[in-house]
Amino acid sequence: MKESKTTVFLNDLSIRIKREANLNNFHIRTTVILSLMMTFFALILGLFIHDRIRSILSSPDDTFFPQLNTHSSLSPNSHFQNDTPSNSDLLSFDLSKRRVIELGDWIAPKELQHSMSDEELFWRASMMPHVVEYPYNRTPKMAFMFLTKGKLPLAPLWERFFKGHQGLYSIYLHTSPDYALEPPESSVFYKRRIPSQGVEWGKKTMVDAERRLLANALLDFSNERFILLSETCIPIFNFTTIYTHLINSNQSFLSLFDDPRRRGRGRYNHKMGPTISLSDWRKGSQWFEAQRRLAVEIVSDSRYYSVFVEHCNPPCYMDEHYLPTLVNKVCPDLTSNESITWVDWSRDGPHPSTFTKRYVSEAFLNRIRHGFNCTYNGRISSICFLFARKFHPNTLQPLLSIAPDLLGFNV
């Protein structure tokens, strides 16, 4: 009996030992298989990463930096858009289409259309290089900024004015957003419109348009002088004379004066204080010429602009007071306090005189050209005005007849 129990015990022990052995073999086999699978996947992943790194490093055009917006090349359509790359973009590393950004892309826009807001545009335009020497052959240019509702009725006269002077000027048109006509490709005004917004006379939108023109013109680092003109303006000297006069001038030409009358100080709103006091208040012509440093000051301002937006309402008109007051506060030494655009205010009223074709003659234009004395670079000069307004569209033909001999325009 004892022997039988012992035999049963030994058989049971033997079965248990075999079962444990089989279980241990299963765990060992499972561990070995999992280890082999992990090693296989690690090898595949390593080969994939190695291949991607090798392909990136071997491409001459690739870089880990994302492509800048199109307007980083100073071309339109995408300044400051929220183009945050998605995870798939970051993983794909599809950089084969990245274009090389060169210096020329930064110093002048190839096209004028873009999608920047005014705030983004002014921020971009307010940048100034601190290195005095330019890393390229910079020829200073004049920026002609036309503020107009639509087409320029006196465009043929301006075409003759600009003829033969390529590389010394830039043109910018701020038209009504609804205006869609484009001049022919042969015209100097072809594709020179900037992204514009609606403008109302006597409203802040007029000043917004002026600053918008300035900011777009500042994107071209070769523009040195900035001239605001309307569709009724004409040049009264040839291009060379005007270029020499402005490029060599020590100051800008923006008028500002303290007008004690109701139309001057009477428009001041005491709520503008203490930021703007009555002693700061100035009035002046809307049509100005600015050197680059002054232009940057104008587009950079937000402090005084916000005060005007809030407190300058009719009979206060921003286009007559904002720039003169701003310049008087910030940099009065940068202007000669004179305008270079002649206009006739002899008739009392809200608008200056308009001249039709019966007024156009050599004697009339010469009175504007040489009938005044002013200060230029500290000396007395008889050339005080370079442009004149307001000229009716019907003055085009007589002006074209006079221009070649009197003004020396190229035929």
Side-chain angles (χ1 to χ4, degrees):
M1 191 72 177
K2 242 181 200 184
E3 231 179 273
S4 175
K5 287 183 180 181
T6 303
T7 302
V8 170
F9 172 75
L10 290 175
N11 289 336
D12 184 56
L13 180 60
S14 175
I15 291 171
R16 287 185 180 182
I17 290 173
K18 289 180 180 180
R19 186 182 299 165
E20 289 293 332
N22 290 336
L23 187 60
N24 287 337
N25 288 338
F26 174 77
H27 284 310
I28 292 172
R29 286 195 299 269
T30 303
T31 301
V32 170
I33 292 172
L34 289 175
S35 299
L36 289 173
M37 290 177 64
M38 291 176 65
T39 302
F40 176 76
F41 284 119
L43 180 61
I44 295 299
L45 181 61
L47 290 173
F48 174 78
I49 294 175
H50 177 268
D51 181 66
R52 298 308 298 165
I53 292 176
R54 184 177 179 181
S55 65
I56 290 171
L57 294 178
S58 64
S59 174
D61 291 331
D62 287 343
T63 175
F64 284 102
F65 295 104
Q67 181 179 356
L68 296 172
N69 287 342
T70 0
H71 209 331
S72 61
S73 60
L74 294 188
S75 73
N77 299 331
S78 66
H79 280 307
F80 299 96
Q81 295 179 9
N82 294 322
D83 292 336
T84 304
S86 63
N87 291 333
S88 60
D89 293 332
L90 293 174
L91 291 175
S92 66
F93 291 102
D94 184 13
L95 302 174
S96 59
K97 296 181 180 180
R98 187 191 69 83
R99 79 190 248 341
V100 177
I101 297 175
E102 300 176 350
L103 178 63
D105 298 323
W106 290 95
I107 61 178
K110 291 182 172 56
E111 295 182 17
L112 299 186
Q113 293 300 312
H114 56 74
S115 60
M116 285 188 289
S117 66
D118 280 353
E119 290 76 14
E120 294 166 339
L121 173 64
F122 297 156
W123 177 83
R124 181 69 175 266
S126 65
M127 297 179 182
M128 289 188 69
H130 290 280
V131 178
V132 179
E133 295 81 12
Y134 288 86
Y136 64 100
N137 294 326
R138 180 181 185 266
T139 300
K141 296 191 296 185
M142 297 188 296
F144 291 81
M145 309 178 300
F146 291 88
L147 182 57
T148 173
K149 294 179 181 178
K151 69 176 184 178
L152 293 173
L154 302 176
L157 180 70
W158 285 101
E159 296 274 4
R160 290 196 183 184
F161 171 78
F162 289 117
K163 185 177 179 181
H165 301 286
Q166 291 79 2
L168 298 178
Y169 66 86
S170 301
I171 296 174
Y172 303 86
L173 304 176
H174 189 294
T175 66
S176 169
D178 301 327
Y179 182 73
L181 295 179
E182 190 71 51
E185 291 188 35
S186 59
S187 171
V188 295
F189 298 103
Y190 178 68
K191 287 192 174 182
R192 301 313 299 170
R193 282 186 292 165
I194 66 169
S196 60
Q197 298 181 28
V199 176
E200 295 181 77
W201 181 82
K203 301 291 183 65
K204 83 173 190 69
T205 53
M206 184 73 75
V207 171
D208 292 341
E210 296 173 9
R211 299 177 78 209
R212 200 173 294 124
L213 278 165
L214 266 181
N216 278 277
L218 279 167
L219 296 181
D220 186 336
F221 281 91
S222 292
N223 286 333
E224 186 63 32
R225 311 294 300 206
F226 303 81
I227 310 152
L228 182 66
L229 301 159
S230 76
E231 70 268 24
T232 67
C233 288
I234 65 167
I236 56 175
F237 288 95
N238 61 33
F239 185 94
T240 302
T241 301
I242 292 177
Y243 181 88
T244 302
H245 190 91
L246 293 181
I247 292 297
N248 294 325
S249 174
N250 297 330
Q251 294 180 305
S252 302
F253 296 91
L254 186 147
S255 64
L256 53 95
F257 58 94
D258 181 12
D259 186 350
R261 299 175 301 172
R262 180 171 56 86
R263 295 180 180 177
R265 294 183 190 174
R267 295 175 176 176
Y268 173 75
N269 187 339
H270 288 276
K271 292 181 179 179
M272 292 182 169
T275 306
I276 300 173
S277 66
L278 181 59
S279 61
D280 300 323
W281 190 250
R282 292 295 184 271
K283 184 179 179 181
S285 171
Q286 172 187 4
W287 312 101
F288 65 86
E289 188 279 336
Q291 57 183 254
R292 190 170 186 90
R293 180 183 165 193
L294 178 57
V296 171
E297 291 286 351
I298 293 172
V299 302
S300 301
D301 173 57
S302 59
R303 181 184 183 188
Y304 302 107
Y305 173 83
S306 61
V307 173
F308 267 86
V309 169
E310 186 174 0
H311 299 298
C312 181
N313 301 302
C316 175
Y317 301 101
M318 280 188 67
D319 58 292
E320 294 184 21
H321 295 280
Y322 168 66
L323 288 184
T325 302
L326 169 67
V327 174
N328 183 55
K329 286 282 293 183
V330 177
C331 46
D333 57 313
L334 294 184
T335 178
S336 66
N337 195 18
E338 297 169 342
S339 175
I340 53 170
T341 301
W342 179 86
V343 68
D344 181 12
W345 284 101
S346 60
R347 302 175 187 176
D348 193 25
H351 301 286
S353 301
T354 297
F355 299 99
T356 59
K357 62 182 180 180
R358 68 187 181 93
Y359 289 95
V360 177
S361 66
E362 292 190 16
F364 172 67
L365 293 179
N366 273 330
R367 282 199 300 271
I368 304 172
R369 283 154 49 90
H370 301 295
F372 305 89
N373 287 323
C374 57
T375 302
Y376 175 78
N377 287 348
R379 298 181 179 180
I380 299 299
S381 172
S382 63
I383 299 180
C384 301
F385 299 105
L386 305 178
F387 308 94
R389 62 184 297 266
K390 302 171 61 173
F391 285 79
H392 191 274
N394 65 19
T395 61
L396 177 60
Q397 291 307 317
L399 285 170
L400 288 175
S401 299
I402 293 175
D405 294 332
L406 179 66
L407 306 181
F409 288 9
N410 292 319
V411 181

